[in-house]
Amino acid sequence: MQRIEEIYWLRAYGCLAVFSFHLLDHLNQRIDTLATDLARIPTVLGTPIFIFISIFLFSMRYGNNIPPGFLGSRVKYVMVPYLVYGLVYSMAEYLRLRAAGADAGLVETLREYLLYAGWHGYFLIIAAQFYAFYWLYGRLHLERWLPATPWLAIGSLISMAWWGYWQSRSDLPPGYLHWIAPLGWLYLFFLALVLVRHYHDSPGGRPAWLMALARPRWLAALVGLVVLFSLPGWLAYSSKEVWVVPLFLLFTIWVMGRLRGRPAPPLVRRLNEFSFGIYLAHPMFFNLVDVLDPGQRLPLLLYVLALGVVGMAGSIAWNLAANRLEWGGLLFGKRLRVA
């Protein structure tokens, strides 16, 4: 398969977006201002980017000719790290709560993390579901009943309605169960299929609606509107918000055209190699910084710098060490092969 340079850029952005989103979580423990809220806007695209990239690359490489063993292999490489890191993070949380004097039960903590997906690895369950959906879509030729273009519009409305429904309710399911339901992410699947279908079209041969949405003025207008609604504090910031659906659609359609064929520099490619490991491991190293600075003695700027350096360097070093072991990549996050 040909190298798709824009995917390198997009994956690097997604990695930094997730990293920055959780860094801002730690920063918010010390300050909570409009500036930190506005800084979250570009970070909410991180998790959707990883889901989109997977389906895009599968569809570009295989189409409906899905090879034998595809589903088992793909699910294995996301669900084994889910269980391993889920155990690590749940045990760390259990020990933290016990040290703080809370009456935390080990079974309850494990259930929250592993069964209810109550940690940032919930993304892995979403990915596994969409791997299965892609496999069914190709094997059963579901495009006959679920054509990508109309279902991009339908799926977007379903996803927005899903997030709007849960935002309107005060009673939520345990953990992140409503986050891992595929309805909230349906638009990503069909967006990937649509962009693959028209990837090799000449500029004049692409649908008019796709060309129109690729114009940066629509993205700029939407970002301006999001900022405007942020000023009075009317918005929440995560990838599970109604406004993120149109933002991601406009951003991705624009960036896939804007970066088409633009070679990714070595630093971007290097970040791609460790993106999965960084996604999984960086909160461990953020928490290490907090453990080493229990009284919040570090000045704010040094604290942010420590989070960034320790979080990034620690995650990369951890992934390098893990992938030297025979089963390390499977257990702790596979290092990607980047040409």
Side-chain angles (χ1 to χ4, degrees):
M1 187 181 74
Q2 71 179 93
R3 290 192 302 186
I4 304 174
E5 295 290 337
E6 53 270 37
I7 291 297
Y8 293 134
W9 291 97
L10 205 55
R11 187 186 286 116
Y13 179 84
C15 178
L16 292 176
V18 172
F19 185 90
S20 300
F21 185 89
H22 293 136
L23 187 150
L24 288 168
D25 279 344
H26 285 258
L27 182 59
N28 277 151
Q29 297 172 10
R30 299 197 179 192
I31 61 168
D32 188 3
T33 66
L34 176 62
T36 56
D37 287 344
L38 294 178
R40 284 188 180 275
I41 294 173
T43 70
V44 301
L45 302 177
T47 297
I49 281 174
F50 284 103
I51 302 170
F52 166 82
I53 285 176
S54 296
I55 304 304
F56 182 93
L57 291 178
F58 293 157
S59 183
M60 182 68 80
R61 178 175 298 170
Y62 304 124
N64 287 337
N65 301 314
I66 301 173
F70 164 85
L71 186 57
S73 174
R74 297 297 176 177
V75 170
K76 175 180 68 176
Y77 275 100
V78 294
M79 290 310 298
V80 172
Y82 173 82
L83 294 173
V84 171
Y85 277 97
L87 284 170
V88 170
Y89 284 115
S90 61
M91 290 303 300
E93 178 64 7
Y94 170 73
L95 294 174
R96 185 191 70 81
L97 291 173
R98 297 292 291 183
D103 186 19
L106 178 59
V107 173
E108 289 76 11
T109 306
L110 289 171
R111 184 170 60 221
E112 175 76 12
Y113 275 69
L114 297 179
L115 186 59
Y116 300 150
W119 62 290
H120 74 281
Y122 70 90
F123 150 76
L124 301 174
I125 297 183
I126 301 169
Q129 292 178 91
F130 277 104
Y131 295 167
F133 186 29
Y134 171 74
W135 183 83
L136 287 171
Y137 194 88
R139 287 296 180 91
L140 302 180
H141 299 283
L142 295 182
E143 71 277 1
R144 293 174 293 180
W145 296 281
L146 302 173
T149 298
W151 268 90
L152 173 57
I154 296 169
S156 298
L157 293 175
I158 290 173
S159 295
M160 293 171 72
W162 180 258
W163 298 129
Y165 171 76
W166 288 112
Q167 288 163 17
S168 68
R169 296 183 65 87
S170 56
D171 56 320
L172 299 175
Y176 294 159
L177 288 181
H178 61 301
W179 287 8
I180 64 175
L183 291 177
W185 313 95
L186 198 57
Y187 70 104
L188 300 170
F189 183 87
F190 291 105
L191 175 62
L193 296 187
V194 167
L195 292 184
V196 166
R197 172 179 295 177
H198 298 291
Y199 187 79
H200 295 293
D201 291 351
S202 63
R206 293 172 191 158
W209 66 268
L210 194 58
M211 296 290 290
L213 292 180
R215 292 171 184 154
R217 64 170 175 261
W218 298 114
L219 177 60
L222 181 57
V223 171
L225 193 62
V226 170
V227 171
L228 185 63
F229 279 98
S230 298
L231 298 179
W234 291 348
L235 296 182
Y237 306 93
S238 80
S239 55
K240 283 73 63 178
E241 301 294 325
V242 173
W243 58 270
V244 174
V245 176
L247 178 65
F248 186 86
L249 291 172
L250 292 175
F251 169 80
T252 306
I253 292 171
W254 170 73
V255 82
M256 289 292 286
R258 186 71 177 85
L259 296 177
R260 177 84 180 261
R262 179 172 297 183
L267 182 59
V268 170
R269 292 175 181 272
R270 198 68 168 167
L271 195 57
N272 272 251
E273 286 186 45
F274 301 108
S275 57
F276 191 36
I278 293 170
Y279 188 104
L280 291 170
H282 69 274
M284 290 195 305
F285 295 97
F286 286 169
N287 292 334
L288 177 62
V289 172
D290 287 337
V291 167
L292 296 177
D293 184 35
Q296 296 187 349
R297 292 166 296 178
L298 282 177
L300 187 62
L301 185 58
L302 285 179
Y303 175 66
V304 173
L305 185 61
L307 287 175
V309 172
V310 175
M312 185 63 70
S315 299
I316 292 174
W318 173 263
N319 193 247
L320 275 170
N323 276 266
R324 291 182 181 275
L325 304 175
E326 184 177 357
W327 295 96
L330 174 62
L331 295 173
F332 299 106
K334 191 175 181 180
R335 181 180 174 185
L336 300 182
R337 295 178 181 177
V338 177

